[in-house]
Amino acid sequence: MIPLAAPYIAGNEWRYIKECLDSGWVSSVGKYVDRFEADIARHVGAKYAVATVNGTSALHIALIVCGIKPDDEVIVPTLTFIAPANAVRYVGAWPLFIDIEPAYLQLSVPKLEEFFQNSCKWKGGQLINKKSGRNIRAILPVHHLGHPVDMRPLKRLALKYHLKIIEDATEALGAEYRGKKTSTLGEIGCFSFNGNKIITTGGGGMIVTNDARLASKAKYLTTQAKKSGDEYIHTEIGYNYRLTNLQAAMGCAQLEKLPQYIESKRRIARVYGENLNGVPGVKIMAEADWARSIFWMYTILLDQSRFGRSSRELKQLLKQKGIQTRPLWQPLNRSAVFPGQKHEKCPNALRAYRDALSLPSSVNLKNSDILMICQLIKKAVRD
Ligand SMILES: *Cc1c(COP(=O)(O)O)cnc(C)c1O
């Protein structure tokens, strides 16, 4: 059985976690929490980092500290894992779904610009969605599958319309856009250390920013909004979104290996690409010349008319051979979770949902296994 993405644990994890156990510092305070925050901040080149219990809570807090309020609207790509859209609802705001571009499956900046021009108005220093009458306050780009969104034109739009940028970099730790790490390209960025992400703490998350005010507000809100000092005095509602020292210890050990993990993901992408290139109906994964992708999850697109089978049929065939694969997410403009909203049409996302299949991408996946998987895919062609 070859899994889609299994954690790889082969460094200082045991040593660091044992140190927590031996010292008794197992809970939400401890040197590894501080160290993990500092290490992540250094790695991405941000001034501040705040650890959280998972990536979804990081997004929730990021939206609050950026001032997103009930009935605001936030731009979210329609093709994404649902977490960022849920986080927008947690603050009472509404996700506004925009299509992806077909080359890298990221939020389409041209389509977003077209939407702003045709369906919004600028009034009193506010961008207003003409259909809903609500204020659009922020853009939440998701760097899918390890590849960055085209941030330069996106930032131009954000600047023009006074919108905050909250990056969901949960699938793209270490990925670069024009030499800068994802998560540092807007006001604030979020990471996840769930078991299937490039590094894992079992479960965990992180907020990064260069803004001291946003960072201290985030730390305050993730720790029950307690005023500093020994007295338990609160003036607003907070959250218990803390990461434990045990989890942070694992994170420190995992982060030490991140450069190797990225090399490995890039090797996996190269070998898949070399062996699947030219197979009828198979579109291999691309990397923009302004990007350095971490190829978190290697994903092909199948043209059924040329390949002779649908992505779901291929998924079944591979499953019978013990190979785990996965389709991408149902486009959220089609989701029952967000009904009744006048979402934009999103044909690219719909096509990707139909055609995409993510292939095994674990960091320790062997080249011989990739070759075997590629052989099976080639044999499945039915022309
Ligand atoms: C994994 C992921 C998250 C959040 O993950 P958690 O499981 O809450 O840590 C958020 N957004 C995207 C796009 C993800 O892939």
Side-chain angles (χ1 to χ4, degrees), residues 10-13 199 252-262:
N12 284 320
E13 287 85 350
I199 68 167
C252 289
Q254 287 265 296
L255 189 58
E256 290 170 353
K257 299 281 187 184
L258 180 62
Q260 282 154 262
Y261 289 6
I262 293 174

Side-chain angles (χ1 to χ4, degrees), residues 15 31 34 41 51-53 76 83 88 104 106 109 125-126 133 166 176 194 276 286 289 309 353 361 370:
R15 193 154 77 83
K31 73 170 195 188
D34 298 336
T52 59
V53 67
V76 177
V88 169
Y104 314 108
Q106 309 295 326
V109 185
Q126 276 298 324
I166 298 155
E176 291 175 15
N194 185 38
L276 292 176
D289 54 12
R309 296 176 195 276
Y353 175 53
S361 302
I370 303 173

Side-chain angles (χ1 to χ4, degrees), residues 66-75 93 125-127 134-139 161-166:
C66 283
I68 310 307
K69 295 274 179 336
D71 268 345
D72 287 345
E73 287 186 356
V74 177
I75 302 294
Q126 276 298 324
L127 187 64
R134 300 189 189 111
N135 292 328
I136 300 171
R137 300 273 189 202
I139 305 171
Y161 295 114
H162 301 189
L163 306 172
K164 298 263 169 36
I165 293 181
I166 298 155

Side-chain angles (χ1 to χ4, degrees), residues 107-378:
L107 176 67
S108 167
V109 185
K111 287 207 174 180
L112 181 59
E113 181 160 26
E114 198 182 290
F115 172 76
F116 285 164
Q117 275 166 7
N118 298 339
S119 305
C120 300
K121 62 182 177 191
W122 180 252
K123 204 176 150 208
Q126 276 298 324
L127 187 64
I128 298 166
N129 179 351
K130 284 198 276 195
K131 278 185 204 155
S132 67
R134 300 189 189 111
N135 292 328
I136 300 171
R137 300 273 189 202
I139 305 171
L140 204 164
V142 180
H143 305 293
H144 285 311
L145 305 171
H147 190 288
V149 174
D150 192 2
M151 291 299 287
R152 194 182 276 174
L154 190 79
K155 285 181 80 162
R156 221 176 285 136
L157 280 182
L159 213 62
K160 181 172 173 190
Y161 295 114
H162 301 189
L163 306 172
K164 298 263 169 36
I165 293 181
I166 298 155
E167 288 177 81
D168 182 334
T170 50
E171 299 176 8
L173 174 62
E176 291 175 15
Y177 177 76
R178 298 187 190 277
K180 274 192 86 178
K181 293 281 197 308
T182 59
S183 77
T184 63
L185 303 158
E187 266 73 30
I188 199 161
C190 298
F191 290 115
S192 162
F193 310 113
N194 185 38
N196 63 356
K197 299 302 200 281
I198 190 159
I199 68 167
T200 182
T201 59
M206 193 78 76
I207 296 168
V208 298
T209 181
N210 285 320
D211 185 321
R213 204 178 43 85
L214 295 185
S216 69
K217 187 85 198 275
K219 192 69 180 178
Y220 163 76
L221 287 176
T222 54
T223 51
Q224 300 284 26
K226 180 171 161 293
K227 295 281 171 197
S228 54
D230 288 341
E231 298 287 332
Y232 284 81
I233 294 169
H234 306 261
T235 54
E236 61 185 305
I237 290 173
Y239 303 84
N240 178 7
Y241 280 173
R242 299 171 300 180
L243 190 74
T244 66
N245 204 45
L246 277 172
Q247 291 166 307
M250 181 166 180
C252 289
Q254 287 265 296
L255 189 58
E256 290 170 353
K257 299 281 187 184
L258 180 62
Q260 282 154 262
Y261 289 6
I262 293 174
E263 278 318 305
S264 188
K265 293 275 193 189
R266 292 183 62 83
R267 162 188 60 86
I268 291 166
R270 196 170 56 244
V271 178
Y272 272 127
E274 284 165 5
N275 286 279
L276 292 176
N277 196 21
V279 178
V282 174
K283 183 166 182 287
I284 60 172
M285 218 175 177
E287 182 180 43
D289 54 12
W290 37 258
R292 185 174 163 81
S293 174
I294 63 161
F295 291 97
W296 170 61
M297 198 75 89
Y298 195 84
T299 302
I300 56 172
L301 293 170
L302 282 191
D303 176 349
Q304 187 176 354
S305 66
R306 293 179 57 224
F307 189 77
R309 296 176 195 276
S310 71
S311 62
R312 301 320 191 259
E313 279 178 80
L314 179 60
K315 181 179 192 305
Q316 271 314 108
L317 277 179
L318 292 172
K319 188 179 173 189
Q320 284 159 16
K321 304 282 181 186
I323 294 155
Q324 190 189 13
T325 62
R326 202 176 71 178
L328 293 180
W329 317 272
Q330 181 192 37
L332 293 176
N333 63 313
R334 295 294 188 96
S335 167
V337 181
F338 307 101
Q341 281 175 276
K342 300 251 183 332
H343 296 296
E344 294 301 291
K345 284 210 172 64
C346 301
N348 293 337
L350 212 54
R351 217 173 300 124
Y353 175 53
R354 185 192 63 197
D355 295 344
L357 201 61
S358 295
L359 304 177
S361 302
S362 303
V363 158
N364 64 344
L365 186 64
K366 293 198 289 284
N367 283 352
S368 56
D369 284 336
I370 303 173
L371 294 181
M372 186 263 289
I373 294 165
C374 293
Q375 267 327 103
L376 289 171
I377 293 174
K378 285 180 208 174

